[in-house]
Amino acid sequence: MIEGESAAHRPWHCERSHMDEPARVSPTNGEPHIRLVSGTPAATPSVDSYRRLADVFHDLLSEQSLDSLLVRIADTLDEIVPYEALHIYEADEPKRQLVPALVRSEWSQEIYEDVFPFGVGITGWAVEHREPVLSNQAHLDPRVEFVPGTPLEPEALIVVPLIARGALKGTLNVYRIGEDAFFTEEEFELAKRLGDAAALALDNAHIRARLEREAQTDSLTGLYNHRYFHERLRRELTRAASEHENVALVMLDIDDFKKVNDVFGHAVGDDVLAELADHLRATVRTSDVVCRIGGEEFAVILPGSHEEQAVALATRLVTRLDAVARDLAGKISVSIGIAQGPKHAANPRELVACAEAAMMTAKARGKSQVVFFDDSTTERPEAGDSREDVRSIAHLKMLQSLAGKLNRSTDVREIGMAIANELRQLIDYHNCRIFVRDGEELQPIAFQGELTAPERPDADVFRTRVGEGFTGRVVQTGESLLLDDASTCEFAIKIEGTAQIEESIIAVPMHYGARVIGVIVVSKLGLNQFDTDDLRLLEVLAGQTAAAVENARLYEVQRREAESAKALLEFGRDLAAAEGLEQVPERIVEGAQQLMGAPHASLWLQESIGGDVVGLAAHGYELGAPVVGLRFAADVMKQFFGRTGPYVISPEEYAALSDPPAESTGSYVVAPFTLEGRWGAIAVAFGAEAEYGDRELELLGGLAHQAKLAIANASSFAGLERTFLSTVEALANALEARDEYTSSHARWITDMALRVGSELGLDADTLKRLELGALFHDIGKIGIPNSVLLKPGPLSEEERLLIETHPELGEKIIAPIDQLQDVCGIVRACHERWDGHGYPDQKAGEEIPLEARIIFACDAFHAMTTDRPYRRALPSDEALRRLAQNAGSQFDPQVVDVCLRVLDAPPN
């Protein structure tokens, strides 16, 4: 049956078709296959079918229940388009899957168990393309795929994607079975129209269900809310009373949650609430109802449960929470109270009061306690006196003031001094010392107060290690110390140069999640100077300090990342400014090496699709490793072709390809890219102490993307430039093809001039100007009459002067072209002599552009060795002799030397 087919045959996920339109497989012999079944359609649907379709639209759109809606869709369709099987699938777009929602088929169990992805089978094709499908021989459709466990029989199939408001809701699949089964085009149209109404009705039902769920759900935790809790508890108590069963109610409150909000902020508090909700879901049974009823207070309704089950659940939760440490706020602990209905109360309000009383008793007895309600043992936390209240208010004000200062600071030492200064307003301490942990070292970041020493020491005198003295002990154990007499502490260490005194000490760890990142130490002269309130204040303060210090460190990390991003942006700009395809690879590897702080970097690219991978450029190879031009066959490299993101190659993987360079560890970070179907990559070597994390890999990936774009742009520009040069050459040859000599004159001189220029060591830009100058050097002859240009005999003085105007005329011809501005002066000077007797400006020596001097020598040699209207060609030996003879008078001697050398060597 085809993807969710109907009864008595095999549903098949029809395989994807290569056709652009849905397949409509016609019956054989050109005749419709008709099978008489109950409700077999007529050839043309009656008007009643359309009326019935119009009537059900309103009913479908007003249906409240999703299950009832699916049944109504199936029943209605059977009335207007009779079928033998029907499947309705719901679409899970995030997972790209189709899930059976309603099946009417003899093989419904097999079909319900079959969830398949978009794109598979006829149904998957219809979903992928969002097009309805009519296939009257679906079992022969090339897209067909079968559902396991169902038989294969001939069948006709209609698939209608259900689309509402642009979103895919599912599909409607209708089947008829047998060799003669088919659907008419009119029935196909009716099914599509019903599918439109069904899609909108399904969307409305989903919206209603979502709104009802949101009305009953706490938005932060996803648990049921206060309103639903009371409604559900009332229903469960009523049911329990009528069925003579029990209902247990577990209420819990997070211990010291206000401290979490005060110290770490409400965002962290929200994270704690959400995490507790997750732990509750993982702890309860599927029949239990978990609710957040307000603030940090939660409740669990346990239908049909006694004291033992409720206590067991509470104990599991406490154990689970005790084993988990959060990144920032540390461990979560809860106080839990349990009551049982109708034993303790028969109405919701009273049962809640009993559970709350038990919960408050648990809170009074300490953290992580579980108490079952009992009238005789209820307790409440003790209230403090007014003096303690005033002191607590002062503490809160100080903490509030300090929080603002810490939030504005991004320097660790500023944070330490701010804490020490604020603390002195409440505790008249002798001194205050604050340390942060750096590995096993404890670095002092602040010291305020006095020492019993002749001279005030530098703060670095307090530098210590984890485990040394009471300062290191607190960091090692993560537990606070309140010392009434510091001199009697067994692990105290006397600071060198200080006198023996009576002092009290408080040392509290700075917790950041499960880690201890520092310690605050406060000293006060005299014995027994601190109490538990002072200790509690410092613990809260240490929590704020830990968060501020970590934020400052995070800010520093972000600042460094911003610097990297800025460097990457500047690299992109530098890459964009590269002139020509030759410069781009060099700038890529140089930028990659500098940006990643690597010993060396290289750039690789396939010559062609399926071709060898070749080294294009390298930077930082001190020993001159032959990377550029190094080749790897595609078969050797294909193991890397499938990787799309940056990755690390181990020394073993590299060794399988080639011997690593002497200065390399053999480990490389590789960022691949694809350019016009060719695989390429930037490879960056690991330094001796380099560590490349996700940020570095992402950075190199961005670099590879920029490199790909730069190479593509440079290649496009190079292609355009080649086209321009070809056009220029064609124009020059066309203009000079007025006789046999000039028809190939420009190209020969251009090639010869470039060989001479390369031998002279000219850079790429100068060679480009030389090439264009050679192509255009005689273009001014277009303005010289043929009678003069092709005259076989000697020229008159007037004719000679006319010929000598062609360099100026050539300059004027190319002057309007922006790309040739640097070439104008070369064209004008191509007939200037080294001794100053040339034309048109009688320039001499170095005044003449080097490009013009090269072109002049090459032009002269070609003229001497080519037939002209007024004489025959000279032998090459004679031409070379005359070229050498006139070096220093007509020609640049250095250029002549190179010309002779190049002309004597075979062309490359």
Side-chain angles (χ1 to χ4, degrees), residues 830-860:
C830 276
H831 290 276
E832 299 285 0
R833 291 168 53 106
W834 183 256
D835 57 12
H837 295 303
Y839 57 90
D841 300 315
Q842 291 78 49
K843 290 184 177 180
E846 298 288 341
E847 291 180 308
I848 307 168
L850 177 58
E851 298 94 327
R853 284 180 262 152
I854 295 172
I855 295 169
F856 186 42
C858 295
D859 187 17

Side-chain angles (χ1 to χ4, degrees), residues 549-676:
V549 167
E550 280 299 304
N551 286 340
R553 288 176 172 174
L554 180 61
Y555 171 82
E556 180 63 19
V557 170
Q558 294 295 325
R559 185 188 63 78
R560 290 197 298 267
E561 288 185 353
E563 289 179 352
S564 296
K566 181 181 178 182
L568 185 58
L569 179 62
E570 291 175 351
F571 167 77
R573 291 172 178 168
D574 182 58
L575 208 55
E579 297 180 1
L581 185 58
E582 297 79 7
Q583 289 187 7
V584 170
E586 293 296 334
R587 295 199 181 192
I588 289 172
V589 292
E590 183 178 356
Q593 187 232 3
Q594 293 175 356
L595 197 58
M596 302 299 292
H600 52 259
S602 55
L603 177 65
W604 303 81
L605 184 65
Q606 275 185 299
E607 284 185 318
S608 60
I609 298 176
D612 291 352
V613 177
V614 181
L616 295 185
H619 189 77
Y621 287 82
E622 296 179 0
L623 301 181
V627 172
V628 178
L630 187 63
R631 312 175 74 87
F632 292 103
D635 289 342
V636 176
M637 299 295 292
K638 66 182 180 181
Q639 58 180 311
F640 303 112
F641 289 172
R643 305 183 189 182
T644 56
Y647 55 90
V648 175
I649 288 183
S650 66
E652 293 75 20
E653 289 179 296
Y654 190 94
L657 299 174
S658 177
D659 294 333
E663 67 271 22
S664 171
T665 63
S667 294
Y668 285 81
V669 181
V670 177
F673 60 86
T674 303
L675 179 63
E676 298 176 349

Side-chain angles (χ1 to χ4, degrees), residues 47 53 97 153 159 299 335 367 384 403 406 480 549 556 692 741 782 901:
V47 175
L53 185 63
Q97 290 181 337
E153 289 186 5
V159 181
S335 298
K367 300 177 182 178
L406 296 183
S480 302
V549 167
E556 180 63 19
Y692 290 131
Y741 161 73
I782 190 174
R901 191 163 62 248

